[in-house]
Amino acid sequence: MFEISALKREWLSNPRRDILAGIVVALALIPEAIGFSIIAGVDPRVGLYASFSIAVIISLVGGRAGMISAATAAIAVLVLPLIQQYGVEYLFAATILMGVIQVIAGFLRLHLLMQYVSRSVITGFVNALAILIFIAQLPELTGVPMLTYVLVAAGLAVIYLLPRLTKAVPSPLVAIVILTAVVYYMGMDVRTVGDMGELPSSLPSWLIPDVPFTLETLQIILPYSATMAAVGLLESMLTAQIVDDLTDTGSDKQQEMKGQGIANFCTGFLGGMGGCAMIGQSVINVKSGGETRLSTFVSGVFLLFLLLVLGPLVAIIPMASLVAVMIMVSIGTFSWRSIKDIRYNPWQSSVVMIVTVVVVVWTHDLAQGVLAGVILSGLFFASKVKRLFTVNTELSADGTTRTYRIEGQVFFASSDRFVEAFDYKEVLDRVVIDVSRAHFWDISAVGTLDKAILKFRREGTMVEVLGLNEESAVMIERYAIHDKPGAEAQLGGH
């Protein structure tokens, strides 16, 4: 049901700053969208239309207010082989299917997988992204006239010094306006937005991708769509988490997944490439005062307004001013505290963070970096938990019964220590395995219990297991074989 209070809270609680922040983001979206189009090997309009479409639609149906989504480098890199081999129409079809997959992922609640991404991985992801943002500016900073460096330095000075005087207007926007005016009226010969490619002069139109509707087409685009959907959702979920932290507010990540899917689905029909949340632009938006859905909506609408109405004016914006903005984003995105914390955090956390950074920067693939970090985090966690395992023993007064008291977590990583904890050659009538302070987690743990019991029985010792908790007892009942016929023969294959 439509609620006035929700409209005010999500759209109109901060209109002036939201509109100004949206304008700044729109200006910064133009060179990035054009650059990503060049990366993907398509006309600049494909990236620009995508940025407009995704930003507007996600502001309406997304789950994270104030987060900016548009065409991104992560997706552009993935689709290059598809376009080179089959053409741009297959890109549009793949983008539509990408949206369908993301909506399904939202209904399947796959956002819950984010619980397994540790803080160290997120920090590594953020730092790597900051480095990539800076690296992406290098083409505009190498082999250029000295005047370009002067302009970039001047832009950074305005961005960082103006807030000391006033925060009424976002300083990045002021920097862009001042540098554009100076370059234009003084006739300086530097690269401008117009040098990046032809800007669109008409609205995007609704189209059906010109591809055969056959099983063969589906086989071609499905792998690309699935990868685009996974990378897009991963980057969006991590960006949403970062915006949550920046704003001390929560987000509906399941709705964000569905919203990303809807945005990409529609964008494919508008002749745009796939996209996702952008941490750099989202940081610009938040730091410029953007808080609600209005800022995201304005960024998309103003982007289209700039292209259609103010195209000639946009074309004269010096790239140096946008480079200065992106350098500010890079500096603001990097977690400088993480460098200091390396000395104080557990070394495993620092290794996970550094590996995530190295893999992302090395491969320029955020998904590979996060995957490496998650795997390493899992290995370190398993290694740590397996050490939470102790065994104490006590021999009865008559010397015929030994009690083993197991304490800790029994699972695949600690199963060897469990088996090696027993002395199978000791001459006894009876062994008691007290597991009242232990937990059996998986079939590897059940298998080690089978192995221990059968080894004792092979030596003629009676075994009694005491204190199984309810969950462990269910595992033992379902999977253990030591009390079943043919247990000795089955043990090798357990």
Side-chain angles (χ1 to χ4, degrees), residues 73-229:
I75 303 298
V77 172
L78 295 175
V79 300
L80 180 59
L82 174 66
I83 297 168
Q84 287 178 332
Q85 191 169 356
Y86 299 101
V88 71
E89 294 292 333
Y90 280 79
L91 168 64
F92 302 150
T95 301
I96 293 170
L97 183 57
M98 168 193 181
V100 173
I101 294 172
Q102 290 181 324
V103 171
I104 294 173
F107 279 107
L108 293 177
R109 300 173 64 82
L110 294 188
H111 66 286
L112 296 177
L113 293 176
M114 284 299 296
Q115 298 175 77
Y116 303 102
V117 180
S118 68
R119 175 62 59 180
S120 300
V121 175
I122 293 177
T123 303
F125 171 86
V126 169
N127 289 346
L129 200 52
I131 294 171
L132 290 183
I133 291 172
F134 183 80
I135 291 175
Q137 310 313 310
L138 294 181
E140 297 296 331
L141 295 171
T142 53
V144 295
M146 183 58 69
L147 180 59
T148 300
Y149 300 110
V150 175
L151 291 172
V152 171
L156 288 170
V158 172
I159 289 170
Y160 284 108
L161 296 179
L162 182 64
R164 298 186 180 186
L165 302 175
T166 178
K167 294 184 179 179
V169 182
S171 60
L173 179 59
V174 175
I176 292 171
V177 171
I178 290 177
L179 292 186
T180 301
V182 169
V183 168
Y184 179 75
Y185 286 109
M186 296 186 70
M188 295 177 177
D189 184 19
V190 294
R191 274 171 58 83
T192 64
V193 171
D195 295 327
M196 299 283 289
E198 184 182 356
L199 300 176
S201 57
S202 61
L203 289 169
S205 57
W206 191 263
L207 57 84
I208 303 295
D210 185 17
V211 298
F213 289 90
T214 62
L215 182 60
E216 183 181 1
T217 300
L218 180 62
Q219 290 174 336
I220 291 171
I221 65 173
L222 181 58
Y224 289 98
S225 299
T227 306
M228 291 160 64

Side-chain angles (χ1 to χ4, degrees), residues 49 55 269 377 473:
Y49 284 157
F269 285 109
S377 296

Side-chain angles (χ1 to χ4, degrees), residues 20 25 48 60 69 72 78 87 126 178 191 218 274 336 449 478:
L20 291 174
V25 172
L48 290 166
L60 301 171
S69 297
T72 61
L78 295 175
V126 169
I178 290 177
R191 274 171 58 83
L218 180 62
W336 298 99
L449 181 64
R478 182 174 299 175

Side-chain angles (χ1 to χ4, degrees), residues 11 18 22 25 29 51-52 54-60 64-69 285 290-301:
W11 285 87
D18 278 331
V25 172
L29 276 175
S51 294
F52 152 72
I54 294 172
V56 170
I57 294 173
I58 203 67
S59 71
L60 301 171
R64 173 63 254 183
M67 187 168 76
I68 304 298
S69 297
N285 190 46
E291 297 177 357
T292 72
R293 297 176 183 272
L294 181 61
S295 60
T296 310
F297 181 80
V298 169
S299 69
V301 171

Side-chain angles (χ1 to χ4, degrees), residues 355-375:
V355 167
T356 303
V357 171
V358 170
V359 174
V360 171
V361 174
W362 184 267
T363 64
H364 285 221
D365 188 331
L366 295 167
Q368 288 189 39
V370 171
L371 181 61
V374 169
I375 292 174

Side-chain angles (χ1 to χ4, degrees), residues 29-31 33-34 37 43-52 193-194 196-205 270-271 303-312 314-315:
L29 276 175
I30 293 174
I34 296 174
S37 299
D43 189 289
R45 284 176 294 186
V46 175
L48 290 166
Y49 284 157
S51 294
F52 152 72
V193 171
M196 299 283 289
E198 184 182 356
L199 300 176
S201 57
S202 61
L203 289 169
S205 57
L270 292 173
L303 170 64
L304 192 63
F305 175 76
L306 286 171
L307 298 174
L308 299 183
V309 181
L310 303 179
V314 172

